[in-house]
Amino acid sequence: RNPDDPEAAEKFDRLTRAKDLLLDPARRADFDRKRKAKRELEQRFAQEDEKRRKLREDLEGRENRSAAAVAAAGQAAAAAEARKRHAQMDFAARIKAKEAELAGRQ
């Protein structure tokens, strides 16, 4: 219906999904419950005093840094394992080459 708009299909899809969500009572109730919970959380954070907000933000920052450190450690372990596997494969290839060389001499 809208050949001039390259985003028409995407818009139609979004509208269809929104209509389906609003017409399904179970999904609508779930959506409303999530919106209400989000709004209550925002109100609670708005009522927070400065000291409590600072403590919460500090805790969240420490948790984020800890999660990043755990992820980095996991990546380092994976990299070390990859290096170890590569070294083992290289060593095995050299042994096979040496065996082939010795077999060729006999």
Side-chain angles (χ1 to χ4, degrees), residues 42-106:
E42 288 172 351
Q43 287 174 351
R44 192 177 71 201
F45 284 161
Q47 293 172 355
E48 230 173 24
D49 65 346
E50 184 66 23
K51 182 178 180 181
R52 184 172 285 236
R53 183 188 60 77
K54 190 172 186 177
L55 288 172
R56 178 181 52 81
E57 289 175 352
D58 180 50
L59 176 62
E60 289 172 351
R62 285 184 283 142
E63 287 173 342
N64 290 340
R65 286 191 298 275
S66 175
V70 167
Q75 289 176 347
E81 183 65 29
R83 283 192 302 273
K84 181 179 172 184
R85 246 188 338 264
H86 182 325
Q88 288 172 341
M89 289 172 39
D90 184 48
F91 188 67
R94 283 194 266 151
I95 289 174
K96 287 180 184 178
K98 191 66 169 178
E99 287 174 348
E101 179 185 330
L102 292 175
R105 287 184 184 176
Q106 292 178 357

